[in-house]
Amino acid sequence: MDESKLLEIIAEFTTYGPEELKENMNFSDDLGIDSLDLAQIIMAVEDAYDVELDEEALDSIQTVGDAINMVKNNG
């Protein structure tokens, strides 16, 4: 899986560049991403990677690393 595309998508919703994002960054606390932004990120990721992410598992996405693992496990 090419993580750079995922990081680019996440970066669009933050003030960070894709290269500045770290796996331990929390969407809410570190990146200022609210639940609506996170839902938009998930939709963009699903389109970009042609995957459908498990609805129940989406609630467990708290960090950039969680998002990367979710895509890896569903890709």
Side-chain angles (χ1 to χ4, degrees), residues 12-75:
E12 290 177 23
F13 292 85
T14 72
T15 58
Y16 292 90
E19 68 284 348
E20 298 174 291
L21 296 173
K22 306 294 180 225
E23 287 192 24
N24 66 340
M25 290 179 138
N26 182 284
F27 281 111
S28 177
D29 297 338
D30 299 322
L31 302 176
I33 292 175
D34 62 21
S35 59
L36 180 58
D37 288 338
L38 186 56
Q40 291 177 326
I41 289 170
I42 297 304
M43 288 189 296
V45 168
E46 288 178 327
D47 288 343
Y49 287 96
D50 195 28
V51 296
E52 187 171 328
L53 302 175
D54 180 6
E55 293 288 327
E56 292 178 14
L58 296 180
D59 292 335
S60 67
I61 297 177
Q62 301 293 317
T63 66
V64 172
D66 292 341
I68 290 170
N69 290 331
M70 175 74 68
V71 173
K72 282 182 180 177
N73 294 333
N74 286 280

